[in-house]
């Protein structure tokens, strides 16, 4: 009977633990790879969320520009803003790749972008300012609904809470900009319903800014307070008073384009607060991605090392 060599005996002796280790390492590498892929997806989703914030912001401006144009304002400003919105729309669509969003969400984004194109044709055909504001606002509301469907991990969702809570205030400011600019451009007395809508809108705006800003980070709250103490917000608020005081007579002593400009500075300031909050989130995602990438490399290195040891013993 032929005896086994010492090398063969040693090989058989360590075969099981080596195979066990290789199985463990393969599982370990697989889990780290999944964690790395998950971090990549979180980054992509966050980018979609940020692009959506910017896109909505400029659609809000387009709404105001369109209402102002329909009241006798500058058409060139509308055309320029449409071009900017279209470019941002392309960027938004491009960022969907890799975010692993549901197909329904992607379809909704495309559908609402198409609705903007259709609405532009209506604006050019003479749609009245009130209907312009109403129809644009419905599309913007749809994009807010899409935004709420983009699920991030619980930690990032908590970080975004302040941004999400303050978005209604930004929308109310955008509505006040659109309606107010149209009123000032026409320079006519308001109907009772118009006055009521504008009065309620202004009241809700001021209450929402004061209450919802408290959910931002300390730095974010300070920046909102700076906006509320600044000249643009003061002009914005003084214009509200002027419109409501002379709602029955018209002949407002405020230039519509100047009002629009100050209002836009306020809303732009809010967007910048949102994006500053996003810097923190992107830093968190960057660290998360780097850590998972590092863990993945370690896992692959260990796996290759043990595989090399196994091969070395085999020969």
């Amino acid at each position: 009977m032929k005896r086994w060599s010492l090398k063969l005996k040693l090989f058989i002796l360590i075969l099981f633990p080596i195979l066990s280790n290789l199985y463990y390492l393969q599982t370990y590498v697989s889990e780290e790879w999944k964690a790395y892929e998950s971090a990549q997806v979180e980054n992509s989703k966050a980018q979609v969320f940020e692009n959506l914030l910017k896109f909505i912001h400029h659609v809000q401006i387009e709404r105001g520009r369109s209402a102002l144009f329909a009241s006798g304002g500058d058409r060139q400003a509308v055309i320029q803003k449409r071009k900017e919105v279209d470019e941002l729309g392309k960027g938004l669509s491009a960022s969907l790749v890799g975010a692993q969003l549901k197909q329904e969400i992607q379809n909704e984004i495309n559908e609402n972008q198409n609705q903007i194109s259709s609405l532009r044709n209506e604006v050019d055909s003479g749609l009245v300012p009130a209907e312009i504001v109403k129809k644009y606002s419905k599309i913007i509301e749809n994009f807010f609904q899409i935004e709420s469907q983009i699920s991030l991990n619980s930690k990032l969702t908590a970080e975004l809470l302040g941004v999400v809570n303050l978005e209604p205030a930004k929308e109310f400011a955008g509505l006040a900009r659109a309606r107010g600019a149209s009123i000032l451009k026409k320079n006519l007395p308001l109907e009772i319903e118009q006055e009521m809508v504008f009065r309620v809108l202004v009241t809700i705006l001021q209450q929402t800014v004061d209450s919802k800003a408290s959910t931002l980070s300390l730095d974010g709250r300070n920046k909102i307070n700076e906006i509320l103490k600044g000249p643009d917000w003061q002009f914005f608020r003084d214009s509200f008073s002027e419109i409501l005081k002379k709602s029955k007579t018209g002949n407002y002593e405020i230039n519509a384009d100047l009002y629009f400009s100050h209002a836009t500075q306020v809303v732009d300031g809010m967007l910048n607060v949102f994006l500053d909050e996003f810097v923190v989130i992107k830093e968190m995602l960057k660290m998360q991605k780097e850590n998972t990438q590092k863990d993945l490399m370690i896992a692959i290195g260990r796996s290759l090392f043990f595989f090399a040891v196994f091969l070395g013993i085999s020969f």
Side-chain angles (χ1 to χ4, degrees):
M1 184 174 178
K2 188 177 180 180
R3 293 184 177 183
W4 289 353
S5 67
L6 179 61
K7 185 177 181 181
L8 181 59
K9 288 178 181 179
L10 287 173
F11 175 76
I12 293 172
L13 183 64
I14 64 173
L15 179 61
F16 179 74
I18 285 180
L19 289 176
S20 298
N21 271 296
L22 287 174
Y23 174 76
Y24 166 76
L25 286 168
Q26 184 272 331
T27 305
Y28 178 43
V29 169
S30 177
E31 289 177 353
E32 292 300 331
W33 177 254
K34 288 178 182 176
Y36 177 71
E37 282 190 321
S38 177
Q40 291 275 63
V41 170
E42 287 292 316
N43 270 276
S44 297
K45 283 183 178 179
Q47 189 60 59
V48 171
F49 199 98
E50 183 179 3
N51 288 349
L52 198 50
L53 280 176
K54 293 176 182 177
F55 181 76
I56 291 171
H57 174 74
H58 286 272
V59 174
Q60 289 169 327
I61 297 176
E62 183 178 327
R63 171 183 58 192
R65 283 289 179 197
S66 299
L68 188 57
F69 160 67
S71 303
D74 180 19
R75 174 170 171 74
Q76 191 56 43
V78 179
I79 294 172
Q80 179 58 37
K81 181 49 62 179
R82 288 176 180 179
K83 289 178 181 178
E84 292 173 12
V85 168
D86 288 343
E87 283 303 309
L88 288 165
K90 290 176 184 176
L92 173 60
S93 297
S95 66
L96 297 176
V97 179
Q100 295 185 9
L101 298 175
K102 294 178 181 178
Q103 188 60 47
E104 292 87 343
I105 295 177
Q106 299 185 44
N107 291 342
E108 285 178 35
I109 289 174
N110 294 332
E111 181 183 338
N112 280 282
Q113 286 179 322
N114 291 335
Q115 285 184 32
I116 291 173
S117 298
S118 299
L119 181 50
R120 288 170 177 173
N121 293 331
E122 292 186 61
V123 172
D124 293 340
S125 298
L127 191 66
V128 297
E131 285 299 306
I132 289 173
V133 173
K134 180 180 177 181
K135 291 190 175 187
Y136 265 104
S137 298
K138 177 57 181 173
I139 294 172
I140 290 167
E141 182 184 339
N142 292 342
F143 277 113
F144 284 142
Q145 290 296 324
I146 293 169
E147 193 178 79
S148 69
Q149 296 177 56
I150 300 175
S151 57
L152 298 167
N153 66 48
S154 57
K155 190 172 182 180
L156 294 177
T157 300
E159 290 290 334
L160 275 173
L161 183 62
V163 172
V164 172
N165 283 344
L166 195 60
E167 265 197 306
K170 181 170 171 292
E171 170 63 356
F172 289 133
L175 281 167
R177 171 180 56 194
R179 290 187 179 277
S182 176
I183 291 167
L184 292 170
K185 196 69 177 178
K186 287 185 173 181
N187 205 24
L188 297 172
L190 300 183
E191 296 176 5
I192 294 175
E193 184 181 351
Q194 284 180 302
E195 179 188 355
M196 187 182 303
V197 168
F198 192 74
R199 189 180 296 276
V200 170
L201 176 60
V202 168
T203 302
I204 293 174
L205 167 60
Q206 296 186 49
Q207 290 175 347
T208 308
V209 171
D210 291 336
S211 63
K212 298 301 184 181
S214 61
T215 57
L216 291 168
S217 66
L218 178 60
D219 186 51
R221 292 197 299 272
N222 290 336
K223 287 175 181 175
I224 290 293
N225 287 334
E226 287 176 14
I227 292 171
L228 298 181
K229 292 176 183 176
D232 294 307
W233 175 256
Q234 295 305 316
F235 187 96
F236 204 19
R237 288 190 60 178
D238 291 345
S239 300
F240 301 157
S241 300
E242 172 76 3
I243 291 170
L244 293 172
K245 183 173 70 175
K246 297 184 177 179
S247 61
K248 291 180 173 57
T249 62
N251 296 317
Y252 312 103
E253 296 179 7
I254 297 173
N255 178 274
D257 295 298
L258 188 60
Y259 170 86
F260 194 95
S261 177
H262 281 287
T264 299
Q265 288 298 316
V266 169
V267 182
D268 282 353
M270 289 183 177
L271 175 67
N272 289 333
V273 171
F274 291 174
L275 297 180
D276 287 344
E277 296 281 295
F278 234 92
V279 170
V280 177
I281 293 167
K282 290 171 85 171
E283 281 300 315
M284 288 173 58
L285 285 167
K286 183 181 177 182
M287 288 180 62
Q288 178 184 332
K289 182 180 176 182
E290 288 175 351
N291 289 337
T292 54
Q293 189 174 20
K294 181 180 177 182
D295 291 342
L296 176 62
M297 291 299 102
I298 291 172
I300 292 173
R302 286 178 178 176
S303 180
L304 290 174
F305 172 75
F306 276 96
F307 185 69
V309 170
F310 177 75
L311 287 178
I313 292 172
S314 300
F315 293 103

